Structure formats: C-alpha cells, structure tokens
Amino acid sequence: MKVLIIKISSMGDIIHTLPAVTDASNIVPNILFDWIVEETFSEILGWHPGIHQIIPINLRSWIKNWYKLSSWKKYSECCIQLKKKYDVIIDAQGLLKTSLLVTCMTCGKKHGMDYISVRESISSLFYHERHYSNKNQHAVERIRQLFSLSLKYPVPSYIGKYNIEHLFPPQKHHAPYLIFFHSTTKFEKLWPELHWSIIAQFAIDAGYRIKLPFWTKSEELRTHRLARLHCNQIIILPQLTLQEIAIQISGATAVISVDTGLSHLTAALGCPNVTLYGPTNPKLIGTYGQNQIVLRSSTKKMKHLTPVHVWESFQKILNLKYIL
C-alpha cells in the first residue's frame, strides 16, 4: 500500500505525526509512506525508518513571493511530482492553504478530519473521506486516530512511539551538562532573561555546565549576555543542523525549554525535559512522551513562572533520570 502524508509544518506538528507512522508501519503489511514537508524540516523525516520518500517543498516561500515568476515555476514543478498515484492520501495539516495548494493536486483517495475536528473547517471539503477526532485529545493522539481510521486498524493502547531515538543513543560525558532552549518565535512565549540567569546559577551550583544554542542575531545576543554573567560555565553552541542539535540533546543530562519545536524534538529523543508554557495550552499540543514535565503559568504570562518553582520541578525530573 502506497500512502502519502501531507504534514508540511511546523517542527512540532511534524514530530507529533511520527507516532502515527510508527503505529501504521508496525500494523499494516507492506505499507510505504511518502511525505510532503517543508524543506527546512525534511531532515527529521529521514530519521524514521517508516518513511520511504521525502518530498520537500517551500510552500511558505511560494506564498510569500507569489508575485514572482520563479515561485510559480517551482510550484508547477512540485505539482508534477505530486501526480504520482497513491492508494491513500492523508492530509494531517488541516489548513485551507495546504488543501488548495497541495492536497487537491495529489492523485488518490484523500482522507482528513471532518469539519468539526479539523483545524480549518473548510479544508474538509477537499477530502473524499472525513473522520471525526475529539479536539480535547492531545495532537499526537488525534493524528494517531486519523491514521487508524484512514488505514483501517485499531489505535494501539500504548503511548505513541516516535521511533527516532535509536539513532541518537544517550552519550556519556565526564562533565554533565544541561541545555536551555531559551528561544521561540513569539515574544509572549519567551521566559524573562533574568529568570534564565537565576536558574542558570542554580544549575551551576548543582555542578552542571549549560549549553545554549542560537539561530538568530537576537538569540545570539541573549546567549552572550547570559554567558558573561556566568563565566566559563556556559557554552555557546555554534549554529547547528537538526542532526547536530539532536546529538547535543542525546548527550544532555536534561533540558529546560520554552514552547518551541526543539522541545518536541527533545521529547521525541526521550531526554528529560521541563517545558515552560504561558499562552499555549500544553494539554493539546505540549510535549508528549516519557520523562517530560510541563509547567504552565496560572496567569498565562511567562514571567509568573518563577525560577524557584521551575528548579524544584526540574529536580524531580533529574531524580527520575537517576532512578531509571
């Protein structure tokens, strides 16, 4: 059976889809998955053994530059590639723009969530088969259910398995370190810099070094400000690929993160992690997996998650790691 997955972005959404691929790969004989994804995140799909072919696209760039002839040319080239015939097509994105520009260009029986369950109701009009999924479930379970209904098998009762952690086994280091994922795209999801400084001192006093990644100029400036305050105990990582950051995660004792795609990558790799949430409801799209603690501000404002409270929760996950 040849199946096409349409889940283009974002990083967290893509990672949340991997357990459904694991379920189907283990249950449905001779199933082959192709996956349409934003090129930025295509590296992740190469880690899962159930993915046969990755079809990278640049939908965000096309939409942003819709007035350029070069964008239309690239889009038309992609549409030609999408004409391959599939037994089942699963649109797990549930957005109108994806349905219009990608799903409707594919060949095969199209499945997706019904108008009650899907993220944007009108996108369900583009599906041949529409399936109900309770919106009060975590995103991982919703997608597992969508795959099971589309491919006609029962959802396994155990927790979903990402099936990528085997590529990044835990590494032993003489100097234990933590990773702080301090950056995210939305300002209201950032944890105050002073809070990061305080918890960095807690970690250093407990005998840990800290690694800080960055990708943008503002993130780089933040890492340097934190490093100046804590001398040689903070290591600023260079700009890394997703595989390189996954290797760093696998070697970490644990992670503290804000609401970002890298927090979901940490969960997928099974690394102990405390993720901090403010405006986002983590019950629906928070980190999913073992050794994960989710903290949400009661006021939905990140500044009200105090470093003392976060460190107390973090110590619990450290103790759990040592017990395991």
Side-chain angles (χ1 to χ4, degrees):
M1 178 185 289
K2 295 179 180 179
V3 180
L4 177 65
I5 301 170
I6 301 172
K7 191 70 165 181
I8 295 172
S9 62
S10 59
M11 186 192 298
D13 291 342
I14 290 164
I15 290 171
H16 282 163
T17 306
L18 295 178
V21 177
T22 302
D23 291 344
S25 298
N26 290 337
I27 296 171
V28 182
N30 303 316
I31 193 166
L32 289 176
F33 283 108
D34 291 356
W35 192 323
I36 304 173
V37 66
E38 279 281 352
E39 189 172 15
T40 307
F41 308 119
S42 60
E43 187 177 5
I44 295 171
L45 303 186
W47 303 339
H48 196 291
I51 307 302
H52 176 249
Q53 182 182 3
I54 301 165
I55 306 172
I57 64 173
N58 291 289
L59 187 62
R60 290 175 176 173
S61 177
W62 297 341
I63 293 173
K64 184 178 180 180
N65 300 288
W66 63 270
Y67 53 89
K68 293 183 179 180
L69 182 61
S70 59
S71 294
W72 285 102
K73 183 179 179 181
K74 290 177 182 177
Y75 175 62
S76 63
E77 290 172 353
C78 179
C79 289
I80 293 172
Q81 192 174 5
L82 296 179
K83 292 303 180 183
K84 179 181 176 181
K85 177 70 175 179
Y86 290 93
D87 299 304
V88 175
I89 296 164
I90 302 177
D91 184 337
Q93 195 79 47
L95 297 177
L96 177 59
K97 65 179 180 181
T98 310
S99 297
L100 275 172
L101 296 174
V102 179
T103 307
C104 68
M105 298 297 174
T106 59
C107 294
K109 194 166 188 178
K110 301 171 180 64
H111 293 252
M113 295 185 187
D114 65 19
Y115 74 98
I116 296 174
S117 312
V118 76
R119 291 169 68 180
E120 293 182 359
S121 299
I122 196 169
S123 64
S124 65
L125 296 175
F126 293 85
Y127 311 144
H128 297 115
E129 295 285 342
R130 304 170 184 88
H131 306 288
Y132 172 76
S133 179
N134 190 331
K135 282 189 173 182
N136 292 323
Q137 298 179 96
H138 191 281
V140 170
E141 300 304 338
R142 279 165 51 79
I143 298 172
R144 292 177 81 194
Q145 186 175 26
L146 173 62
F147 274 56
S148 74
L149 293 170
S150 301
L151 299 172
K152 297 179 173 53
Y153 63 84
V155 180
S157 58
Y158 50 76
I159 189 171
K161 299 177 181 179
Y162 296 100
N163 202 18
I164 63 172
E165 63 278 6
H166 61 281
L167 293 178
F168 305 97
Q171 307 293 315
K172 292 184 178 180
H173 295 269
H174 296 295
Y177 66 87
L178 310 178
I179 298 178
F180 290 175
F181 288 130
H182 54 92
S183 301
T184 187
T185 53
K186 294 185 178 180
F187 178 80
E188 61 269 22
K189 294 182 180 182
L190 291 172
W191 204 37
E193 201 168 306
L194 177 61
H195 289 10
W196 282 115
S197 181
I198 293 170
I199 208 161
Q201 191 60 60
F202 290 162
I204 292 166
D205 291 343
Y208 294 101
R209 302 187 80 183
I210 300 162
K211 293 189 177 183
L212 299 178
F214 73 89
W215 281 269
T216 68
K217 187 63 179 178
S218 62
E219 294 168 6
E220 181 182 13
L221 293 173
R222 186 187 306 126
T223 61
H224 282 286
R225 288 193 295 269
L226 290 169
R228 279 199 300 269
L229 291 172
H230 301 285
C231 301
N232 298 323
Q233 299 306 310
I234 287 184
I235 301 167
I236 298 176
L237 296 172
Q239 290 186 321
L240 304 175
T241 65
L242 287 173
Q243 179 158 338
E244 288 168 341
I245 197 66
I247 292 170
Q248 290 291 331
I249 292 170
S250 71
T253 301
V255 172
I256 299 177
S257 59
V258 293
D259 181 12
T260 174
L262 293 172
S263 62
H264 299 291
L265 179 58
T266 302
L269 296 176
C271 181
N273 181 23
V274 174
T275 309
L276 312 181
Y277 290 91
T280 306
N281 183 356
K283 291 183 179 179
L284 302 179
I285 56 172
T287 50
Y288 174 102
Q290 296 181 335
N291 304 326
Q292 304 300 303
I293 290 179
V294 166
L295 296 180
R296 189 186 190 192
S297 169
S298 59
T299 65
K300 300 182 182 180
K301 295 185 182 297
M302 293 291 286
K303 65 182 180 180
H304 293 143
L305 280 171
T306 68
V308 171
H309 176 48
V310 172
W311 185 249
E312 287 174 350
S313 299
F314 193 61
Q315 286 179 304
K316 293 177 184 177
I317 210 165
L318 289 174
N319 291 336
L320 176 63
K321 179 181 177 75
Y322 292 134
I323 291 171
L324 293 174

